């Protein structure tokens, strides 16, 4: 197990998060050319809104307004319907940040691009139907959400223990949240629960059973390979531990199924995922290629999100969350320009990658988790100085589409 360091100074964590938000203001939101939730403006706007809600100050308002103008412009001519790279993610952000008419136009384009089965060859959460369904649900269009996930009913392939899907036009079947069975299961459970379609929730459970049967970590852990047969094994690790393709993200589906079904067996699976994550050695860089990422999608911030969910729901102490936050503080780049993080690609020369502003690999995803950690550490839903936060200590100003709200 990773050794727990002393608790970080909470005021310092908050200051770093604010500096990280301020750095986003210098990255040219109004001039950016990527509108996406994954790398681009849409994800950055949710992070700036988080800072706005946490600190209760208006210094981010201008950048948020300019960014929303840019997203609205992109949405008018967008031809990618996906959650993380296209219109569904833009619609979610526009809807939640007060641009209802622009959000509706974006969703209308999503409908126009649908062929009745899918939007592109990918058939998963990041780029395919599952993500479109989650985006539509979070943008207030339940009918489109149902329409997006219904093709999974007909396209499901029976396996020895459940079902899965061909998520790309190649033989490997992927298993986790970003590109695989569990991301589809998450969308089915979310949309099925919201729409009262019990058959969608049942299909979600059946898909989850397929992945559970692939566990390699024994009865007390949970670790499933990336894909079978291995997809691009020359560059993709067989086992990962983060949100995208590992147990930190798998646990988010098990959290959702706990809430949707009320069955306690999903709590046991949450705990098994967490035992594997904590026992993996992260966030230490144990070898080249192991845990080279600080960010939300594949790195430390994504694990911190699950750690904070467990503090709220499972009564965990702060020990491992403290370790994760301390690691982020140790790796931050801080100067007059603001705080930011560089991820590592050990096969590149030089290995340190340029800092990124977006949700997936950069500041936007990290600062959201740091601010939530601060609120939980203080035991009240407020920033230093006592400004109330929109959603209290347990969560975020705006919940992410594939992370259930934490219910104490």
């Amino acid at each position: 197990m990773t050794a727990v360091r002393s608790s970080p100074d909470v005021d310092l964590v908050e200051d770093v998060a604010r500096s990280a938000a301020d750095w986003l203001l210098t990255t040219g939101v109004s001039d950016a050319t990527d509108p996406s939730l994954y790398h681009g403006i849409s994800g950055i706007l949710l992070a700036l809104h988080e800072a706005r809600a946490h600190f209760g100050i208006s210094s981010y308002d201008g950048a948020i307004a300019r960014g929303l103008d840019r997203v609205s412009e992109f949405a008018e001519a967008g031809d990618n319907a996906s959650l993380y790279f296209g219109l569904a993610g833009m619609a979610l952000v526009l809807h939640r940040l007060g641009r209802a008419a622009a959000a509706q136009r974006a969703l209308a384009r999503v409908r126009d691009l649908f062929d009745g089965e899918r939007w592109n060859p990918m058939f998963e959460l990041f780029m395919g139907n599952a993500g479109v369904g989650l985006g539509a649900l979070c943008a207030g269009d339940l009918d489109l959400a149902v329409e997006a996930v219904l093709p999974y009913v007909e396209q499901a392939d029976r396996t020895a223990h459940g079902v899965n899907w061909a998520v790309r036009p190649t033989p490997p079947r992927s298993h986790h949240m970003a590109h695989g069975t569990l991301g589809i299961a998450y969308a089915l459970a979310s949309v099925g629960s919201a729409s009262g379609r019990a058959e969608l929730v049942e299909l979600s459970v059946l898909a989850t059973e397929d992945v559970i049967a692939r566990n390699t970590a024994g009865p007390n852990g949970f670790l499933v390979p990336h894909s079978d047969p291995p997809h691009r094994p020359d560059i993709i690790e067989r086992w990962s531990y983060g949100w995208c393709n590992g147990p930190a993200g798998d646990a988010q589906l098990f959290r959702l199924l706990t809430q949707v079904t009320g069955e306690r067996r999903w709590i046991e699976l949450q705990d098994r995922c967490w035992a594997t994550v904590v026992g993996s050695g992260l966030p230490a860089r144990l070898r080249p290629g192991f845990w080279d990422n600080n960010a939300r999608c594949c790195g430390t911030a994504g694990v911190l999100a699950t750690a904070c969910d467990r503090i709220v729901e499972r009564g965990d102490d702060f020990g491992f969350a403290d370790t994760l936050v301390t690691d982020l503080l140790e790796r931050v780049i801080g100067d007059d320009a603001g705080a930011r993080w560089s991820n590592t690609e050990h096969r590149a020369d030089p290995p340190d990658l340029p800092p990124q502003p977006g949700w997936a690999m950069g500041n936007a995803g990290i600062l959201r988790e740091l601010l939530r950690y601060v609120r939980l550490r203080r035991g009240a839903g407020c920033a230093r100085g006592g400004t109330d936060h929109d959603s209290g200590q347990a969560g975020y100003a705006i919940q992410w589409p594939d992370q259930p709200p934490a219910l104490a």
Side-chain angles (χ1 to χ4, degrees):
M1 177 176 173
T2 303
V4 177
R5 302 155 176 161
S6 59
S7 300
D9 181 295
V10 176
D11 287 351
L12 174 61
V13 178
E14 187 176 57
D15 289 341
V16 168
R18 179 163 181 177
S19 181
D22 290 344
W23 185 76
L24 292 178
L25 300 179
T26 71
T27 61
V29 169
S30 61
D31 299 323
T33 58
D34 183 349
S36 74
L37 198 61
Y38 191 80
H39 280 310
I41 304 171
S42 293
I44 291 170
L45 292 179
L46 291 184
L48 291 176
H49 178 72
E50 189 72 36
R52 172 70 166 88
H54 179 93
F55 293 108
I57 56 177
S58 59
S59 59
Y60 304 106
D61 289 353
I64 292 172
R66 291 191 298 275
L68 289 169
D69 289 342
R70 291 289 287 160
V71 173
S72 298
E73 292 171 6
F74 281 115
E76 292 293 338
D79 59 5
N80 182 329
S82 71
L83 173 63
Y84 274 103
F85 301 101
L87 290 161
M90 291 184 244
L92 181 163
V93 171
L94 292 166
H95 174 78
R96 296 303 306 272
L97 294 182
R99 301 290 183 95
Q104 289 302 311
R105 289 194 295 272
L107 291 173
R109 285 195 60 78
V110 172
R111 278 193 168 85
D112 290 343
L113 293 167
F114 189 40
D115 69 3
E117 182 178 287
R118 59 181 71 193
W119 279 268
N120 62 67
M122 298 299 290
F123 199 48
E124 30 75 288
L125 190 151
F126 262 24
M127 292 180 275
N129 290 49
V132 172
L134 288 173
L137 181 63
C138 293
D141 193 332
L142 183 58
D143 289 341
L144 179 58
V146 172
E147 190 176 2
V149 301
L150 279 178
Y152 290 113
V153 177
E154 295 297 326
Q155 296 294 319
D157 293 326
R158 295 291 308 194
T159 67
H161 299 280
V163 298
N164 64 21
W165 292 268
V167 298
R168 59 175 64 84
T170 57
R173 299 296 170 101
S174 295
H175 307 311
H176 297 280
M177 286 288 289
H179 298 294
T181 300
L182 293 189
I184 296 169
Y186 191 103
L188 288 166
S190 295
V191 176
S193 176
S195 62
R197 302 285 294 259
E199 75 278 15
L200 298 180
V201 177
E202 291 166 2
L203 186 61
S204 170
V205 171
L206 198 59
T208 306
E209 297 288 4
D210 173 81
V211 179
I212 292 171
R214 300 174 189 272
N215 174 43
T216 64
N220 298 316
F222 195 80
L223 188 63
V224 172
H226 174 276
S227 48
D228 292 299
H231 176 64
R232 303 189 70 185
D234 54 320
I235 62 171
I236 296 177
E237 297 254 357
R238 182 72 171 144
W239 287 275
S240 301
Y241 296 90
W243 171 82
C244 52
N245 290 297
D250 301 345
Q252 296 293 350
L253 172 64
F254 299 144
R255 290 183 57 238
L256 177 65
L257 290 176
T258 302
Q259 296 176 12
V260 168
T261 71
E263 296 177 8
R264 292 193 58 83
R265 66 176 176 133
W266 306 116
I267 296 177
E268 178 191 356
L269 282 158
Q270 292 177 45
D271 292 346
R272 289 167 56 185
C273 285
W274 198 238
T276 296
V277 169
V278 173
S280 69
L282 70 83
R285 308 281 171 96
L286 299 180
R287 56 177 171 78
F290 181 86
W291 218 250
D292 286 345
N293 196 303
N294 302 298
R296 179 60 175 80
C297 180
C298 315
T300 302
V303 180
L304 179 59
T306 305
C308 289
D309 288 331
R310 290 187 58 84
I311 289 167
V312 175
E313 294 182 338
R314 306 288 293 126
D316 284 9
D317 63 35
F318 279 87
F320 196 64
D322 289 345
T323 297
L324 299 169
V325 171
T326 299
D327 191 74
L328 288 171
L329 294 181
E330 291 175 349
R331 299 186 185 281
V332 70
I333 301 167
D335 54 29
D336 291 343
R340 65 270 190 202
W341 288 263
S342 173
N343 297 318
T344 300
E345 172 47 71
H346 70 284
R347 293 164 292 198
D349 184 18
D352 290 337
L353 303 174
Q356 298 292 321
W359 170 85
M361 298 298 169
N363 272 36
I366 296 171
L367 75 88
R368 278 170 50 89
E369 305 309 332
L370 291 179
L371 290 177
R372 185 192 185 197
Y373 167 86
V374 167
R375 293 190 293 273
L376 288 171
R377 254 300 179 195
R378 290 190 177 137
C382 58
R384 193 191 325 165
T387 303
D388 289 339
H389 184 261
D390 289 358
S391 59
Q393 65 178 23
Y396 308 86
I398 293 176
Q399 193 71 29
W400 211 254
D402 43 42
Q403 180 184 0
L407 305 177

